[in-house]
Structure formats: structure tokens, C-alpha cells
Amino acid sequence: MVRAMAPRFPTQFADLLTPKGRRILEGRDSETCGALLDPTRPFIALQGVIDVKKASQVRDALDAAMRDTLVTMEDPIPEDSISGMVENYTEALPKTVRVRTALLESRRSRSWRAAEALGLVALLRSDTFAGFAAAVSGRALKRGWGIQTLCYSPGDYTGPHTDHHPEEDDARHGYVDMHVSLTMPAVDHQFLVYAKDGHFSELTKVSTVGGITVYRLPFWHYTTPLVAKKAREEAARRWVLLGTFLDAGPKTRASSTILPAGARLPVQGTTVGRGMEAGRG
């Protein structure tokens, strides 16, 4: 009954955007468009680009319809990470994580059916969702991008990792992730910590309502444990809508490519320039 009564989402990501967000999508924001072409800038966090009221409606519908369909993704610290050491200062920590997730790739899963009924699948598959990622990254991106939904509860986190995939031909030289953060009012805070000059010295708050982070991976980073407001643990959750985009190479067909607004299909390489001089960046 909850899913049947939940409002459907817009079919285009653009319908959630503020005027500022529309300018970015259309390639008319020279500061943001193509920002990730700067090799020293691994990500950008954007506020004021999604209408907060609409973001809250999406968040509440997600929480009502999909919370019970999620599965736990948990990779703890290996039990022998200390006892298995035989040499001083040789600690090695693989990626650790605890979060609930809906992979949205299997039409037979409960999560996919709930997301389809809400219109979430259509929203994350919309050209304007990919177009926004292309606009900020400044790159031509392949169609067929991956989509996912995460839900962080108190204590959930993602440990230090790079998201580097050297065994994957299409991803080994880098790729783009875009996250939309939809945080419940009971959350106090959650942060993204990332490396600068070889140290985990930088952080930015990600527990926002409608904030967007766009990443040029790989780079070292982690997400801190979610912290609830006092005595509100049961209602504290942060939803994340996620898209993963591979670069479109020079041999990628135009019909299989998402370009930044106004850009032409690149002849060589995968970038298409920066800002309005490139038609969008």
C-alpha cells in the first residue's frame, strides 16, 4: 500500500534542478562546467542545484517505499589484520564498508520493482542525469551507465579506498561517479574525507538534502560513520542516488554517447574542453 500511494518521481533529472542547476546542465556556468578536467581536483561538491522541497519529497518517498527492500553490504576489518602481521609497521587494510544498498541492475529484485514503481529507475536513466555528470566532468560519457541506491544508518561508513580498477580496460584510466545526497532530518552529520598531498587532510560534509558530488576517480577517500542527532537513531538515514559513468572514447558511436551541452563528439581523446568556450565543460 505504501508503494502504491507513493508519488512517482519526474522522468527527467532536470525537473529536480534549480535555475543554478539548469545553468550547469545547459553548459552556462563557466565555474562549474568542466571543473573536473583539472587533474588536481578529484571531485566537486555542489549545493543549491536541486530544489530542496523536491529533494525532500524524493527522500521521503524513497524511505517509505524502499527501506525494507535493501540488503546489507558489509566488509569488516579482517580478523587476522593484527594477528597475521609478522613485521612491524606492515599493516594492510582492504576496503571496509557497512551500508545498505539496492543495486538496481536486476529486474527480478524487490529493490528494482520498488524503484521502478516510484519512477526512480527512469529518473536515474534519464539523459539529463547523465548530462549533468558530463557537464561537470567536461567529458563525453558512455550510455549504459551503472545506477545504485545506498542507505547509510547510524554507524554506517565506507573505509579508505581508491575505487581504482586497473584490470578493467574501460575504467583503468579513470571514470566519473555522481552522487545525490538525500539526508533525513534526524541525521547530525556525515563527512567525506579525502587525500591532498598524500595525507587524509581534507573533508566536506555530505549529509545534505539535494547536494550533488561529482567525482573523477580514482583517488583516496572515505566516508565517516553517520551520526544521528541525540535520541533519534531510529529515524536517522542518509540516502544516496548514484551513477557510474565510463568515458566515451573516440571510437564510441554518437548514439552511445552523452555529451556536455553544446559540445561536439571528440575526434581524439575523451575530453571535450572546459566551460562555455567548449559549448559546455
Side-chain angles (χ1 to χ4, degrees), residues 154-251:
D156 287 351
Y157 75 104
T158 304
H161 63 289
T162 64
D163 285 318
H164 184 32
H165 298 283
E167 295 180 298
E168 306 296 331
D169 290 343
D170 291 340
R172 65 172 54 145
H173 298 299
Y175 59 98
V176 174
D177 259 17
M178 185 167 78
H179 297 186
V180 178
S181 183
L182 303 166
T183 306
M184 303 293 288
V187 172
D188 188 78
H189 64 264
Q190 190 170 39
F191 294 93
L192 176 78
V193 181
Y194 58 100
K196 182 178 181 180
D197 298 327
H199 294 279
F200 282 119
S201 59
E202 307 296 312
L203 82 166
T204 189
K205 188 174 183 179
V206 291
S207 48
T208 61
V209 183
I212 298 178
T213 46
V214 187
Y215 305 79
R216 182 63 184 177
L217 297 162
F219 65 95
W220 278 105
H221 60 288
Y222 65 91
T223 305
T224 64
L226 183 138
V227 176
K229 293 178 181 177
K230 187 176 181 179
R232 301 196 65 187
E233 287 79 7
E234 290 298 319
R237 286 175 293 281
R238 172 177 167 250
W239 291 84
V240 181
L241 307 181
L242 187 154
T244 298
F245 305 87
L246 297 173
D247 292 348
K251 296 182 180 180

Side-chain angles (χ1 to χ4, degrees), residues 57-265:
Q57 292 171 343
V58 169
R59 176 200 64 198
D60 293 344
L62 277 173
D63 200 62
M66 294 194 63
R67 194 191 334 161
D68 294 334
T69 73
L70 303 175
V71 296
T72 299
M73 180 169 63
E74 184 172 11
D75 289 310
I77 297 171
E79 291 184 2
D80 66 347
S81 62
I82 296 176
S83 62
M85 285 178 58
V86 296
E87 184 180 346
N88 295 344
Y89 309 115
T90 59
E91 294 91 343
L93 181 66
K95 180 179 178 179
T96 61
V97 63
R98 185 176 63 204
V99 67
R100 287 181 294 166
T101 182
L103 294 176
L104 301 183
E105 298 294 342
S106 173
R107 291 173 176 263
R108 292 174 290 184
S109 70
R110 291 179 62 207
S111 294
W112 188 91
R113 292 195 297 269
E116 173 69 8
L118 281 174
L120 175 61
V121 173
L123 178 69
L124 296 182
R125 291 291 187 203
S126 67
D127 282 355
T128 51
F129 183 72
F132 196 93
V136 178
S137 69
R139 289 173 166 83
L141 304 175
K142 285 185 178 180
R143 292 186 179 274
W145 56 93
I147 60 174
Q148 189 176 1
T149 300
L150 302 176
C151 184
Y152 289 90
S153 294
D156 287 351
Y157 75 104
T158 304
H161 63 289
T162 64
D163 285 318
H164 184 32
H165 298 283
E167 295 180 298
E168 306 296 331
D169 290 343
D170 291 340
R172 65 172 54 145
H173 298 299
Y175 59 98
V176 174
D177 259 17
M178 185 167 78
H179 297 186
V180 178
S181 183
L182 303 166
T183 306
M184 303 293 288
V187 172
D188 188 78
H189 64 264
Q190 190 170 39
F191 294 93
L192 176 78
V193 181
Y194 58 100
K196 182 178 181 180
D197 298 327
H199 294 279
F200 282 119
S201 59
E202 307 296 312
L203 82 166
T204 189
K205 188 174 183 179
V206 291
S207 48
T208 61
V209 183
I212 298 178
T213 46
V214 187
Y215 305 79
R216 182 63 184 177
L217 297 162
F219 65 95
W220 278 105
H221 60 288
Y222 65 91
T223 305
T224 64
L226 183 138
V227 176
K229 293 178 181 177
K230 187 176 181 179
R232 301 196 65 187
E233 287 79 7
E234 290 298 319
R237 286 175 293 281
R238 172 177 167 250
W239 291 84
V240 181
L241 307 181
L242 187 154
T244 298
F245 305 87
L246 297 173
D247 292 348
K251 296 182 180 180
T252 304
R253 290 181 298 180
S255 61
S256 299
T257 301
I258 295 286
L259 291 175
R264 296 181 179 180
L265 193 67

